[in-house]
Amino acid sequence: KNEVEQSPQNLTAQEGEFITINCSYSVGISALHWLQQHPGGGIVSLFMLSSGKKKHGRLIATINIQEKHSSLHITASHPRDSAVYICAVRPRLGGGADGLTFGKGTHLIIQP
Amino acid sequence: DAEITQSPRHKITETGRQVTLACHQTWNHNNMFWYRQDLGHGLRLIHYSYGVQDTNKGEVSDGYSVSRSNTEDLPLTLESAASSQTSVYFCASSGQVNTEAFFGQGTRLTVV
C-alpha cells in the first residue's frame, strides 16, 4: 500500500523565515503534486513534479526519485502563506484514475 | 476563464435521505474525481471518471454513486445518507494523465 508521510504536521514560524516541508512516499511514482489549502477554502495546485526542481515566485519544490522524497520550500515567508500544504503522489502502476494518494497535510502558520 | 464549481457549498441533511452534490467544470477535462476530506485523514478518493459514460470506484466508494452523462458534470449521490458521511467533499478535474489537477471549493456536508 502506498503511504505518503509529511513532516512536520504543524509548523509555526516568524515572517521572513525560510520554510521547508517534507514529503516521503513508499512506492514508485509517476508524479508528485504539492497543493495549498487555506482555512475554509478550496485546494489550489502549486506544483506537479516528476523529477528535479520547480520554482514559482517564493515557492520551490524539489523531488528525489531515488530517495522517494520531496520538499516544498518557501523563501521570505509571509503571513499570507499560512495554510495547509498537502503532498499527493500518483503511483507508477495501478491506483486508479490519477491514483492520487494524499498526505495528511502540514499546517503552516506564519506570524507577523 | 475556465473553472470547476461545486454546489451547494454547505448542506445539512437527515440520516437516510438521498443527497446529490453537483460538480461542474468548464475546462473540457476528461478526468473527474470526487474526494472526501476528514480530520486525521488525507483526501480519499470516492469515485472517478475518465470520460462520458465511464465511472469507477475509488478507495471509499461504499454508499456513494456517480454518473457521467456529459463532459462537464459528475454529480455525486449519497444513496442513503449516514452520519459517517459527514465530511467535506471535493471535486477535481484534470486533462491528460500527470497533468495539473484543478479542485472545486468543496462542499461541507453534515448528516444529522
Side-chain angles (χ1 to χ4, degrees):
Chain A
K1 183 184 173 184
N2 187 27
E3 303 282 345
V4 179
E5 298 289 337
Q6 288 185 235
S7 63
Q9 288 185 322
N10 298 283
L11 177 57
T12 300
Q14 295 298 121
E15 183 173 357
E17 286 189 37
F18 182 82
I19 303 299
T20 296
I21 299 170
N22 296 299
C23 176
S24 297
Y25 50 91
S26 57
V27 301
I29 66 169
S30 58
L32 181 143
H33 298 249
W34 281 104
L35 309 167
Q36 181 191 56
Q37 183 176 26
H38 282 283
I43 297 170
V44 175
S45 177
L46 297 175
F47 296 104
M48 191 194 71
L49 296 161
S50 55
S51 65
K53 175 180 176 179
K54 287 190 176 180
K55 183 176 189 291
H56 184 258
R58 295 180 294 105
L59 301 178
I60 303 165
T62 64
I63 188 167
N64 184 319
I65 296 294
Q66 287 73 28
E67 297 288 325
K68 295 187 173 60
H69 181 269
S70 175
S71 294
L72 177 68
H73 305 286
I74 305 174
T75 62
S77 59
H78 189 275
R80 65 175 174 267
D81 297 325
S82 299
V84 176
Y85 293 85
I86 302 169
C87 172
V89 302
R90 180 178 189 275
R92 188 178 300 124
L93 295 175
D98 279 8
L100 290 179
T101 301
F102 295 80
K104 294 180 181 179
T106 294
H107 187 193
L108 174 66
I109 298 173
I110 304 296
Q111 295 178 335
Chain B
D1 286 349
E3 59 181 2
I4 179 167
T5 55
Q6 294 182 230
S7 61
R9 293 292 311 278
H10 303 271
K11 174 81 176 176
I12 300 174
T13 192
E14 294 178 342
T15 302
R17 289 193 181 267
Q18 185 181 79
V19 177
T20 297
L21 310 183
C23 176
H24 179 80
Q25 53 97 3
T26 57
W27 292 98
N28 201 34
H29 285 160
N30 285 326
N31 303 331
M32 294 185 72
F33 317 89
W34 274 103
Y35 297 96
R36 60 178 288 174
Q37 185 179 41
D38 304 288
L39 275 175
H41 294 274
L43 285 140
R44 293 180 290 174
L45 182 64
I46 304 171
H47 280 285
Y48 59 98
S49 168
Y50 282 130
V52 176
Q53 301 303 329
D54 176 74
T55 61
N56 305 280
K57 294 181 178 180
E59 178 188 356
V60 290
S61 61
D62 286 349
Y64 303 95
S65 63
V66 293
S67 61
R68 188 89 180 270
S69 59
N70 58 53
T71 299
E72 296 79 18
D73 299 289
L74 187 70
L76 177 72
T77 297
L78 286 67
E79 309 292 346
S80 177
S83 57
S84 60
Q85 294 176 308
T86 293
S87 186
V88 180
Y89 291 86
F90 286 95
C91 178
S93 72
S94 68
Q96 301 302 314
V97 169
N98 283 344
T99 59
E100 185 179 4
F102 295 88
F103 288 79
Q105 287 293 102
T107 295
R108 183 175 295 275
L109 177 68
T110 303
V111 183
V112 298

